[in-house]
């Protein structure tokens, strides 16, 4: 062929001959993680061999699942009843409320899920629009785009504890973005926000609020932010509020003690959650709900799909809405409520256990995210799939995290700290007062008399889990 390169055929041949269908665990940079060496070659393989590969892969995941503590995904679910759907490609192209000419879709399930969340967040069916996304980042992409379309010259305000996607989105949309200070809790500092708003009164405000920050699980005070906007002269027609509720957006309404109210009865423009986090789903997904009157600025009629295009991605998974619908129906209101309360209760248990062991830890009210000093060994961090930032790490207590798992984690951490911090007979603990406050820090300066010796119970737990 005229456009082919002379080396095309030898290159392909060499790849085929050099390729191996073998699976072997290999070390990745000595950080304790094991990855599987998978090579696709030019030959087809039997179903039995492919099944062996997947079986091997599943087995390699089990140890990670048993110690998966650092990230907010619920690993406790069962969707076996939905397995027949994997024989179909389901695509929810276009507007879920308008349908499309792509008839292999699940928009009826999608709308049902959207109605459920609209009811949860107090907005009438005739007043909202939304869709099932690929996750929280796409929800942020959509919500902040609505804000920018309302106020093309607006300034985006986001706290320094906001999810990294928010600042990426500002770059993508070329929005002026001002980072607002955070309190020790991780909550947005409204005093700093007030000063920044006063300094930029000439431009509308687009506010990103966190309904559970990524690292500390802090919930921004919506009422205080709205009050701050009004006090600085921003009327309702000069601000837009997007709520990033990736994990806590669905949890807060079900708290027994009652937490901050997340509702469209307040002047917010959009809310997003991640479906694979609290609810649990084998594929990343999410939900975004916005006021219907904001959507027209984004919408375009597309003849090719006989629908309206108002989403970020266009084509969307038709399976994700069914997973979410199935989960919501299976759990019911009481099931979700019980899971929320259990996660919160177990998080408080973990915080108490760390405190009893002399390890500084912080837990925000209404949160299931326990923050503590970062372990000094990368292998330990990897073993427990911990998320770290600077001198701190956290455990997000989800449905699959049992008391036994937490006991094992604390016991192992206590034992390892006795080794890490031993240097010439002196034990040294990281100072995390700047990150979590002096009252939650166990360093020598702030907790000079705290006993950090591993107890017999801890050592017993280590032996049981070896």
């Amino acid at each position: 062929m005229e456009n082919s390169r002379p080396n095309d055929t030898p290159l392909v041949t060499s790849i085929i001959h050099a390729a191996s269908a073998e699976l072997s665990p290999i070390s990745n940079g000595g950080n304790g993680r094991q990855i599987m060496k998978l090579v696709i070659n030019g030959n087809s393989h039997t179903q039995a061999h492919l099944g062996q590969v997947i079986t091997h892969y599943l087995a390699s995941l089990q140890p990670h699942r048993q110690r998966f503590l650092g990230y907010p995904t619920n690993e406790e679910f069962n969707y076996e009843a939905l397995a027949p759907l994997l024989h179909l490609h389901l695509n929810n192209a276009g507007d879920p409320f308008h349908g499309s000419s792509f008839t292999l879709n699940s928009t009826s399930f999608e709308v049902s899920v959207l109605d459920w969340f609209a009811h949860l967040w107090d907005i009438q069916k005739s007043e909202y629009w939304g869709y099932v996304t690929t996750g929280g980042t796409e929800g942020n992409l959509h919500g902040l785009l609505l804000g920018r379309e309302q106020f093309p010259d607006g300034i985006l305000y986001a706290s320094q504890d906001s999810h990294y996607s928010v600042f990426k989105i500002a770059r993508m949309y070329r929005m002026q973005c001002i980072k607002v200070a955070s309190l020790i809790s991780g909550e947005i500092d409204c005093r700093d926000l007030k000063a920044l708003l006063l300094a930029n009164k000439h431009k509308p405000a687009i506010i990103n609020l966190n309904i559970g920050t990524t690292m500390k699980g802090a919930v921004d005070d919506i009422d205080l932010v709205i009050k701050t906007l009004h006090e600085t002269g921003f009327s309702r027609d000069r601000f837009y509020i997007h709520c990033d509720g990736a994990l806590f957006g669905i949890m807060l309404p079900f708290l027994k003690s009652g937490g901050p109210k997340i509702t469209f009865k307040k002047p917010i423009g959009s809310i997003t959650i991640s479906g694979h986090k609290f609810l649990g789903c084998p594929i990343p997904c999410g939900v975004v709900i916005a006021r219907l009157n904001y959507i027209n600025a984004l919408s375009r009629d597309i003849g090719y799909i006989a629908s309206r295009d108002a989403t970020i991605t266009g084509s969307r998974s038709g399976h994700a809405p069914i997973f979410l619908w199935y989960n919501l129906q299976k759990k019911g209101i009481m099931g979700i409520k019980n899971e929320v309360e259990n996660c919160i209760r177990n998080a408080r248990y973990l915080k108490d256990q760390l405190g009893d062991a002399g390890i500084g830890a912080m837990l925000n009210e209404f949160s299931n995210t326990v923050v503590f000093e970062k372990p000094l060994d990368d292998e330990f961090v990897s073993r427990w799939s911990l998320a770290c930032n600077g001198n701190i790490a956290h455990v997000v207590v989800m449905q699959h995290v049992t008391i036994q798992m937490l006991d094992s984690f604390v016991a192992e951490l206590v034992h390892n700290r006795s080794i890490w911090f031993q240097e010439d007979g002196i034990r040294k603990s990281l100072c995390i007062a700047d990150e979590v406050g002096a009252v939650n820090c166990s360093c020598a300066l702030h907790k000079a008399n705290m006993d950090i010796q591993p107890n017999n119970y801890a050592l017993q737990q280590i032996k049981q889990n070896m």
Side-chain angles (χ1 to χ4, degrees):
M1 292 178 64
E2 184 177 339
N3 293 327
S4 65
R5 295 177 299 175
N7 293 330
D8 275 356
T9 301
L11 176 63
V12 171
T13 302
S14 65
I15 290 174
I16 292 174
H17 285 296
S20 169
E22 293 183 357
L23 261 166
S24 60
I26 61 174
S27 178
N28 182 16
N31 62 1
R33 296 180 182 177
Q34 296 291 312
I35 61 173
M36 298 172 68
K37 184 178 180 181
L38 295 167
V39 179
I40 300 175
N41 60 30
N43 301 319
S44 62
H45 295 277
T46 65
Q47 190 66 36
H49 174 75
L50 295 175
Q52 182 183 15
V53 172
I54 298 302
T55 299
H56 184 91
Y57 174 61
L58 285 171
S60 74
L61 292 178
Q62 286 309 306
H64 298 288
R65 187 181 185 278
Q66 293 166 6
R67 296 186 296 270
F68 195 79
L69 293 182
Y71 294 89
T73 58
N74 173 13
E75 300 296 326
E76 194 71 31
F77 53 79
N78 187 335
Y79 291 103
E80 290 181 2
L82 304 184
L85 294 173
L86 296 180
H87 294 285
L88 293 168
H89 171 79
L90 301 176
N91 192 322
N92 288 6
D95 188 325
F97 297 93
H98 282 229
S100 77
S101 55
F102 196 100
T103 54
L104 289 172
N105 65 66
S106 66
T107 53
S108 58
F109 289 91
E110 185 172 17
V111 171
S112 178
V113 169
L114 297 172
D115 284 344
W116 190 91
F117 279 96
H119 178 73
L120 182 71
W121 296 324
D122 300 316
I123 187 168
Q124 297 298 314
K125 188 173 178 67
S126 60
E127 297 176 352
Y128 92 88
W129 185 89
Y131 70 101
V132 172
T133 68
T134 56
T137 293
E138 186 181 349
N140 289 339
L141 272 164
H142 197 275
L144 294 176
L145 180 59
L146 291 177
R148 193 202 66 175
E149 292 299 292
Q150 290 300 305
F151 304 115
D153 63 335
I155 297 175
L156 172 60
Y157 297 87
S159 80
Q160 63 187 24
D161 278 54
S162 296
H163 190 263
Y164 60 84
S165 69
V166 173
F167 305 105
K168 176 174 66 176
I169 290 165
R171 294 195 300 273
M172 292 172 65
Y173 292 158
R174 298 190 180 277
M175 300 170 70
Q176 181 182 355
C177 180
I178 295 180
K179 191 174 290 189
V180 185
S182 297
L183 304 174
I184 283 290
S185 66
E187 182 184 334
I188 191 170
D189 185 344
C190 283
R191 291 172 298 179
D192 190 47
L193 176 62
K194 186 173 185 177
L196 293 170
L197 289 170
L198 287 171
N200 296 278
K201 289 185 66 174
H202 59 291
K203 288 189 175 182
I206 302 168
I207 312 287
N208 177 81
L209 294 185
N210 302 300
I211 313 304
T213 56
T214 307
M215 197 64 199
K216 297 181 179 179
V219 177
D220 291 340
D221 190 330
I222 297 178
D223 295 329
L224 185 55
V225 168
I226 293 170
K227 180 182 178 183
T228 302
L229 284 163
H230 290 158
E231 288 177 349
T232 50
F234 284 82
S235 56
R236 181 65 186 88
D237 60 349
R238 295 192 64 242
F239 69 82
Y240 181 96
I241 296 177
H242 169 68
C243 295
D244 179 0
L247 174 60
F248 293 162
I250 188 173
M251 294 179 67
L252 286 180
F254 293 96
L255 285 177
K256 185 176 182 179
S257 56
K261 187 70 172 174
I262 312 301
T263 171
F264 277 96
K265 291 180 179 178
K266 299 175 183 179
I268 59 178
S270 50
I271 305 176
T272 186
I273 62 106
S274 295
H276 55 282
K277 291 185 177 174
F278 185 80
L279 286 178
C281 189
I283 53 177
C285 59
V287 170
V288 63
I289 298 289
R291 296 185 187 276
L292 180 60
N293 59 301
Y294 292 139
I295 299 301
N296 290 335
L298 295 181
S299 302
R300 299 291 184 273
D301 290 332
I302 306 297
Y304 178 69
I305 57 173
S307 188
R308 187 174 69 160
D309 179 39
T311 66
I312 296 292
T313 58
S315 288
R316 308 186 310 285
S317 168
H319 291 88
I322 304 177
F323 283 122
L324 294 177
W325 175 88
Y326 182 86
N327 202 324
L328 291 170
Q329 292 284 70
K330 185 177 180 179
K331 293 179 188 297
I333 295 297
M334 288 308 301
I336 295 174
K337 180 178 174 63
N338 290 337
E339 289 187 5
V340 169
E341 292 176 356
N342 190 59
C343 288
I344 297 295
R345 182 168 53 250
N346 288 351
R348 290 171 181 165
Y349 173 84
L350 172 60
K351 200 265 186 183
D352 291 342
Q353 292 298 100
L354 290 170
D356 291 344
I359 301 171
M362 180 184 80
L363 174 63
N364 276 308
E365 191 178 10
F366 313 122
S367 176
N368 63 330
T369 301
V370 181
V371 184
F372 54 96
E373 65 185 57
K374 177 185 176 181
L376 297 183
D377 181 49
D378 289 342
E379 185 174 348
F380 181 88
V381 169
S382 177
R383 173 174 163 80
W384 290 95
S385 297
L386 300 179
C388 303
N389 185 27
N391 287 331
I392 57 175
H394 75 198
V395 165
V396 186
V397 182
M398 303 299 292
Q399 290 90 326
H400 66 278
V401 179
T402 64
I403 292 295
Q404 292 74 22
M405 192 186 301
L406 295 177
D407 284 342
S408 178
F409 168 73
V410 173
E412 190 173 319
L413 179 58
V414 168
H415 174 69
N416 286 352
R417 282 174 96 245
S418 69
I419 299 172
W420 301 332
F421 298 161
Q422 190 71 44
E423 181 181 347
D424 297 327
I426 301 173
R427 298 183 185 276
K428 296 182 179 179
S429 180
L430 288 174
C431 179
I432 56 173
D434 288 344
E435 288 90 349
V436 301
V439 70
N440 296 312
C441 181
S442 66
C443 76
L445 177 63
H446 297 105
K447 297 289 181 181
N449 298 318
M450 183 175 284
D451 178 19
I452 60 171
Q453 295 287 344
N455 55 41
N456 292 333
Y457 172 76
L459 293 175
Q460 182 182 6
Q461 289 295 312
I462 294 170
K463 294 176 181 178
Q464 290 177 353
N465 289 280
M466 283 183 174

